[in-house]
């Protein structure tokens, strides 16, 4: 009889502990989701996401990038690239809706966003003129080579 009571007591304690941990985990996941959704802003109809880039020299900078599923490569603003001291190692023709231009290609040690990082990523360095009257400014386009 005592053994049965002990087993029920242990089962009850384990059940309460599992229930408590599950509800705590669910609340933590909800907070993470809410916090990550709050980091998104917009630039007109474009979605801006926070991005951290690390140059090959170890310097890291952060800024908002336009999430661009139509871009095959990530594009970094020239000013942002200068802050990272990015050096071109080749050139490629960048084709956009406004035409084609020869652009430098550099490499960054890491691009981090969405709680994930990609290492040794090629980026196109180009002028970005994406800002609005509220002070939002895009430092680049987060392209499919990261997404």
């Amino acid at each position: 009889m005592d053994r049965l009571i002990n087993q029920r007591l242990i089962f009850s304690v384990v059940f309460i502990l599992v229930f408590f941990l599950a509800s705590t985990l669910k609340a933590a996941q909800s907070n993470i989701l809410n916090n990550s959704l709050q980091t998104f802003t917009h630039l007109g109809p474009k979605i801006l996401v926070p991005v951290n880039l690390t140059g090959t020299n170890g310097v890291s900078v952060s800024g908002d990038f336009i999430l661009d599923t139509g871009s095959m490569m990530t594009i970094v603003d020239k000013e942002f690239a200068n802050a990272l001291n990015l050096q071109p190692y080749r050139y490629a023709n960048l084709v956009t809706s406004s035409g084609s231009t020869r652009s430098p290609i550099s490499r960054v040690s890491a691009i981090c966003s969405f709680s994930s990082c990609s290492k040794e990523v090629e980026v196109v360095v180009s002028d970005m003129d994406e800002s609005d009257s509220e002070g939002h400014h895009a430092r680049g386009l987060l392209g499919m080579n990261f997404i």
Side-chain angles (χ1 to χ4, degrees), residues 12 17 26 39 42 99 107 113 131 143:
S12 297
L17 184 60
K26 186 174 182 178
T39 62
H42 62 88
R107 187 177 304 277
S113 189
S131 59

Side-chain angles (χ1 to χ4, degrees), residues 89-143:
Y89 73 94
R90 68 182 182 97
Y91 289 82
N93 287 328
L94 179 64
V95 180
T96 66
S97 59
S98 60
S100 177
T101 182
R102 188 168 159 85
S103 299
I105 306 292
S106 296
R107 187 177 304 277
V108 294
S109 293
I111 298 178
C112 298
S113 189
F114 304 113
S115 301
S116 67
C117 294
S118 292
K119 306 285 184 190
E120 299 300 323
V121 180
E122 285 188 335
V123 297
V124 176
V125 178
S126 183
D127 285 322
M128 293 288 301
D129 189 19
E130 296 281 342
S131 59
D132 66 11
S133 60
E134 296 176 16
H136 298 120
H137 181 73
R139 307 303 257 149
L141 301 176
L142 195 57

Side-chain angles (χ1 to χ4, degrees), residues 31-51:
N31 285 340
I32 290 169
L33 179 61
N34 288 338
N35 289 340
S36 67
L37 290 176
Q38 291 172 1
T39 62
F40 289 88
T41 56
H42 62 88
L43 185 64
K46 300 170 183 164
I47 297 171
L48 292 175
V49 295
V51 174

